[in-house]
Amino acid sequence: MARAETRDRARRRTAKRERMEAVRAFATGRVLDAGRTRDALQALLRPGDRVALEGDNQKQADFLAGELAGCDPEAVHDLHLLISSISLREHLDVFERGVARRLDFAYAGPQSVRMAQLLADGGIEIGAIHTYVELYARMFVDLIPDVALLCAEQADREGNLYTGPSTEDTPVIAEAAAFSQGVTLVQVNEIVDKVPRVDIPGDWVDLIVRSPRPFALEPLFTRDPRHIGQVEILMAMMALRGVYERHGVTTLNHGIGFDTAAIELILPTYGEELGLRGKICRHWTLNPHPTLIPAIETGWVESVHCFGGEPGTERYVAARPDVFFTGPDGSLRSNRVLCQLAGQYAVDLFIGSSLQIDANANSSTVTEGRLTGFGGAPNMGHDPHGRRHPSPAWLGLVAGEPPVLRGRKLVVQITQTFRSGGVPAFVESLDAVRVGEDAGMPIPPVMIYGDDVSHVVTEEGVAYLYRAAGPAERRDAVAAVAGATPVGRRIGHRRVEELRRDGLVALPEDLGVDVRRAKRSLLAARSMEDLVAWSGGLYDPPARFRSW
């Protein structure tokens, strides 16, 4: 048998050695001269490189993003960027300047309009819109980074990193690069003699640079209770009675929004009246939501594992080590990948909102003129068929044909029937369908598929979709709670009454919810100042949330 052609089996290792030799003039040991960062990047990068740039849900390697955007397109071009969250202007500047060409990402909320325009103008080539876990997983398979540009709180001169409360995505990206002979460059806020704890070992890190300013950190999960109104409170009451209490939900994830913040803030009041403490909402996967503080302080919450940190909650979290996952130094240890997996497999319920929901309960945050993406919602907002451990809530939605049965996760969509500006949340066809067609996507960018959704909660009531006998009955149940939207207008009063009788729809009165009680007085905290008081002064809200 003829031998296969001899080829270099250490090609990536050789390429890394050459890259590090090219950047040596700009560094002392592992420490890069901040003033020569752009020169170093131009020496380090090759046209067509796959570059993982840390743009997390909250924290951003913003100094490195700016330096990358400023590179000479003659020297650095056609990069393939891997960014979980497109949050900064610089993330898209690289495409307008020709430094980068192709993008794989998960979420683009702050830059969604500009992203859509760039795509329409042909200024960007999108590989795929991923979920967070999906993107990270591909970094170990077919999207292995050549270079990773990351951020951390501190480093020592050996490259050991301390990521602090907002570890988020850093370890998984560092590992994908470090063990595939990629180059890892990290911007840090400080270079110290000894880090408080080693979150990422120095032998995973090739270069560090002290940023002229602390990395950007967005308080993404902070919601001011002042903006929670009666409609959100009513929906929270119905969710509590019609979903949490009915199914005995003890493990759960809350999405971002005033709807779920309202649920958190009525646990110590309405939930206490119902005698539900200790019976529901005990174990959570979510960031340190400030609106969860009253529930923690009143003994509702036993544990919280976090995707990332939340600015202002550092002292509070450090003082509650029985609840949060913290290190010996007292600071939070977050991890987006592990928390996403916990939210996918270890919790009984996901509840979140969307910009649009169609008649079949499919939902998406991709709308006309906005290429938002999904983030982590599809990871947690689906029924994972790989789950095997039972719980009462999971078994309560048992499915299949005897003798082979399986449980089912509760996937809840909660939204007002009309969003701001009188825009209907329920539509006959998602904008995502047309956006996908116009962009040449092989499938439309749907966030959560309707057949995974078990419940829909609106100000009208609760739809129990898992009880539907088929697609037509599911559509009727969605329509019954869709109000005066195009979807809601196609169902008559008589059919709604039949659905109520059969247990597919419950209105407030069916749940024992007194609509007259849906007032702000039911909130355990009605302002940021109240949250500070609940925390014993340990919570320090970011300046933009202060009103006193």
Side-chain angles (χ1 to χ4, degrees):
M1 181 182 292
R3 289 175 61 88
E5 183 181 347
T6 302
R7 60 190 178 95
D8 184 0
R9 300 286 184 178
R11 177 179 51 82
R12 287 180 64 86
R13 183 172 295 172
T14 301
K16 177 174 182 175
R17 187 165 54 245
E18 292 172 351
R19 291 175 195 267
M20 294 303 296
E21 187 63 35
V23 83
R24 190 178 304 279
F26 310 111
T28 302
R30 280 188 171 88
V31 181
L32 189 66
D33 180 354
R36 304 295 304 278
T37 303
R38 192 168 302 175
D39 295 330
L41 286 171
Q42 292 181 169
L44 189 65
L45 294 167
R46 308 286 183 268
D49 271 350
R50 199 178 288 133
V51 178
L53 173 59
E54 189 162 19
D56 297 343
N57 208 353
Q58 292 171 278
K59 73 172 182 176
Q60 313 293 329
D62 52 344
F63 171 63
L64 292 177
E67 295 300 294
L68 181 65
C71 283
D72 181 357
E74 292 294 322
V76 181
H77 55 84
D78 292 319
L79 297 180
H80 180 176
L81 290 194
L82 315 175
I83 311 179
S84 62
S85 181
I86 308 294
S87 301
L88 304 177
R89 174 177 50 82
E90 292 84 356
H91 289 161
L92 297 182
D93 287 350
V94 292
F95 294 96
E96 290 189 343
R97 298 196 67 251
V99 173
R101 175 178 55 86
R102 187 174 176 85
L103 172 69
D104 279 277
F105 76 108
Y107 181 68
Q111 298 291 328
S112 58
V113 175
R114 188 179 175 201
M115 172 81 83
Q117 191 60 55
L118 264 174
L119 183 64
D121 294 343
I124 192 169
E125 179 184 322
I126 292 179
I129 307 174
H130 303 73
T131 72
Y132 289 132
V133 172
E134 181 182 19
L135 179 60
Y136 307 138
R138 290 189 67 192
M139 290 186 192
F140 292 89
V141 184
D142 60 333
L143 292 180
I144 298 171
D146 298 300
V147 176
L149 305 177
L150 310 175
C151 59
E153 288 279 356
Q154 295 178 349
D156 63 23
R157 294 186 182 275
E158 299 302 312
N160 296 302
L161 300 182
Y162 170 62
T163 53
S166 294
T167 297
E168 297 197 56
D169 310 342
T170 317
V172 69
I173 303 173
E175 183 165 338
F179 291 92
S180 63
Q181 315 308 317
V183 175
T184 304
L185 166 57
V186 186
Q187 73 171 71
V188 298
N189 295 342
E190 291 182 282
I191 297 177
V192 297
D193 292 332
K194 182 177 174 60
V195 293
R197 71 173 190 239
V198 177
D199 288 315
I200 296 174
D203 57 3
W204 294 19
V205 177
D206 299 297
L207 296 163
I208 55 175
V209 58
R210 181 173 180 176
S211 173
R213 60 188 181 278
F215 60 74
L217 184 62
E218 176 71 14
L220 189 63
F221 293 84
T222 299
R223 290 294 179 270
D224 189 339
R226 288 184 306 163
H227 302 303
I228 297 174
Q230 294 181 1
V231 176
E232 288 91 357
I233 296 167
L234 174 61
M235 291 194 299
M237 294 168 71
M238 287 193 288
L240 210 57
R241 295 231 66 176
V243 182
Y244 294 41
E245 179 183 20
R246 177 172 294 192
H247 297 286
V249 173
T250 59
T251 60
L252 68 161
N253 166 262
H254 273 191
I256 309 171
F258 291 105
D259 302 329
T260 47
I263 298 173
E264 293 158 18
L265 286 171
I266 67 168
L267 289 176
T269 57
Y270 192 59
E272 196 72 30
E273 288 179 22
L274 297 172
L276 296 177
R277 179 155 53 94
K279 299 177 182 178
I280 64 170
C281 300
R282 292 163 51 198
H283 304 286
W284 302 68
T285 61
L286 79 174
N287 277 44
H289 289 194
T291 44
L292 196 62
I293 291 174
I296 294 172
E297 294 304 300
T298 50
W300 281 76
V301 179
E302 294 181 27
S303 69
V304 179
H305 188 260
C306 301
F307 307 100
E310 190 71 6
T313 63
E314 295 85 358
R315 289 190 302 134
Y316 178 73
V317 167
R320 301 291 181 270
D322 285 350
V323 173
F324 295 95
F325 288 71
T326 58
D329 66 312
S331 71
L332 179 71
R333 168 67 177 193
S334 61
N335 187 304
R336 188 168 309 283
V337 175
L338 294 181
C339 199
Q340 288 281 332
L341 290 174
Q344 184 171 348
Y345 283 103
V347 304
D348 292 326
L349 173 143
F350 162 82
I351 183 168
S353 191
S354 181
L355 294 178
Q356 285 189 338
I357 301 174
D358 71 11
N360 293 305
N362 299 302
S363 68
S364 186
T365 50
V366 173
T367 56
E368 193 69 36
R370 291 183 62 180
L371 197 64
T372 308
F374 316 126
N379 291 134
M380 292 169 289
H382 84 285
D383 177 31
H385 288 193
R387 174 173 168 169
R388 292 296 180 270
H389 73 278
S391 68
W394 188 72
L395 292 173
L397 273 63
V398 69
E401 295 293 332
V404 179
L405 299 172
R406 65 177 181 85
R408 180 174 172 181
K409 183 178 184 179
L410 282 74
V411 176
V412 185
Q413 292 282 268
I414 182 169
T415 184
Q416 296 183 41
T417 54
F418 286 86
R419 309 195 70 84
S420 60
V423 177
F426 291 88
V427 295
E428 290 291 351
S429 178
L430 298 174
D431 287 358
V433 174
R434 177 174 293 180
V435 170
E437 291 173 351
D438 292 345
M441 297 178 183
I443 57 174
V446 173
M447 182 174 70
I448 296 178
Y449 290 108
D451 55 3
D452 274 318
V453 178
S454 60
H455 301 70
V456 175
V457 180
T458 74
E459 73 274 20
E460 299 288 333
V462 180
Y464 296 91
L465 303 188
Y466 72 94
R467 302 192 62 170
E473 198 164 57
R474 283 176 61 87
R475 285 193 291 271
D476 283 349
V478 170
V481 298
T485 66
V487 171
R489 288 198 299 268
R490 67 176 180 79
I491 192 169
H493 176 73
R494 179 175 296 177
R495 180 58 178 146
V496 173
E497 291 304 306
E498 291 174 352
L499 293 170
R500 291 174 69 187
R501 181 198 63 207
D502 295 341
L504 275 84
V505 170
L507 304 188
E509 55 267 34
D510 302 326
L511 300 171
V513 172
D514 185 349
V515 177
R516 295 169 300 179
R517 296 200 59 204
K519 297 179 179 179
R520 284 181 48 79
S521 58
L522 206 58
L523 299 174
R526 292 162 228 168
S527 67
M528 298 300 286
E529 193 171 14
D530 287 348
L531 293 176
V532 173
W534 271 104
S535 76
L538 294 171
Y539 174 45
D540 183 26
R544 78 187 205 211
F545 292 101
R546 292 176 175 271
S547 57
W548 63 93

